[in-house]
Amino acid sequence: LITATSIVSNSRLQAKLNEYTKEKSDQEARRKKELEATRDRLLGKMVKVHDSVDDTTLYKPKGYGKKTHTISLNRAFIYPYLAGDPKSEVPFFKISVGYNRSDWLFMNNLKFKAGSHRFDIAFNTSDVWSDVGFGTGVFEAIDILYTADNPLLSDSLEFSSNDTMLDDLRILANSKHATMRIEGSQANKDVTLTSKQLRDLRNFIK
């Protein structure tokens, strides 16, 4: 039998359910708004580079434009970037590493030290690109994808060591002193990361 008491009880239950649903919806809306604000704040610290021919978008730290190989002799760089527009898609996270010196390293591995934490970042040597400048030395660079973003790559033995790259780089970015060794088949190059390089990593790894 349906009684007046059961009707009131059901009505109260429905009211509580509606209240819970609205509260949850409001929380999700606030969280989404906070994330979008954080995203926009971080993107404001980056430079948007758009290729109109390929219709691709990159977000790089300030100070890096379309060309990254215009660096002085005996210098090296490392910086993170996003391939894709975070406002309309899920971008890929990558790091770019390179150097300019008088002779080749023939780079084949990256080794890092941040305090007591040490790690390597592997890459396919066939993806290394190079250039030779007249009187300005030789140049090599590699763009490395965070493989956990791509199941096809993270399942590959060749790239499996990069699945923890983001966690390792987070430790690196928050360290007070960090060293990168660009290993090559001909020579190695040790680089002490600057405060800007570490800050750029922190801005991208949240």
Side-chain angles (χ1 to χ4, degrees):
L1 294 176
I2 300 177
T3 64
T5 301
S6 65
I7 293 175
V8 172
S9 178
N10 289 338
S11 177
R12 289 176 177 173
L13 180 62
Q14 185 62 47
K16 287 184 177 295
L17 180 60
N18 291 341
E19 182 181 350
Y20 169 78
T21 302
K22 184 179 183 305
E23 182 179 350
K24 185 177 180 180
S25 177
D26 290 345
Q27 288 177 347
E28 291 176 351
R30 287 194 298 270
R31 176 60 176 163
K32 181 180 179 182
K33 190 174 181 179
E34 290 171 359
L35 289 174
E36 288 176 346
T38 300
R39 178 201 65 193
D40 292 343
R41 176 175 59 81
L42 293 175
L43 289 180
K45 299 179 180 181
M46 306 173 192
V47 175
K48 182 178 180 179
V49 181
H50 183 71
D51 187 322
S52 60
V53 177
D54 292 333
D55 193 25
T56 56
T57 299
L58 304 179
Y59 279 88
K60 298 182 177 184
K62 291 182 177 179
Y64 298 95
K66 292 183 178 180
K67 293 184 178 181
T68 59
H69 60 277
T70 53
I71 58 174
S72 303
L73 191 64
N74 295 322
R75 298 292 296 274
F77 66 82
I78 174 174
Y79 67 86
Y81 70 94
L82 300 178
D85 194 335
K87 294 185 178 181
S88 59
E89 60 185 312
V90 178
F92 286 112
F93 175 82
K94 297 184 178 184
I95 60 169
S96 186
V97 178
Y99 72 88
N100 188 349
R101 69 194 299 263
S102 59
D103 202 1
W104 297 103
L105 295 181
F106 297 115
M107 57 193 297
N108 55 24
N109 187 57
L110 299 175
K111 189 180 293 292
F112 295 87
K113 180 179 181 296
S116 60
H117 186 67
R118 293 175 172 85
F119 63 96
D120 287 26
I121 294 181
F123 55 85
N124 191 330
T125 56
S126 64
D127 292 331
V128 175
W129 49 287
S130 59
D131 196 5
V132 178
F134 181 73
T136 58
V138 297
F139 172 84
E140 281 188 298
I142 181 70
D143 290 342
I144 305 171
L145 171 68
Y146 173 46
T147 53
D149 283 342
N150 190 325
L152 293 178
L153 292 183
S154 60
D155 289 341
S156 166
L157 180 62
E158 181 180 2
F159 292 91
S160 62
S161 63
N162 288 352
D163 286 352
T164 62
M165 186 172 85
L166 203 61
D167 292 332
D168 289 328
L169 289 177
R170 184 175 289 109
I171 295 174
L172 186 78
N174 288 286
S175 65
K176 293 182 179 180
H177 182 81
T179 303
M180 172 179 69
R181 172 171 292 173
I182 304 175
E183 296 184 331
S185 60
Q186 182 162 301
N188 298 333
K189 181 176 179 60
D190 288 353
V191 181
T192 298
L193 301 191
T194 66
S195 58
K196 181 184 185 306
Q197 288 170 334
L198 295 176
R199 184 171 62 251
D200 288 340
L201 285 169
R202 287 195 299 271
N203 286 339
F204 277 74
I205 304 172
K206 293 291 183 180

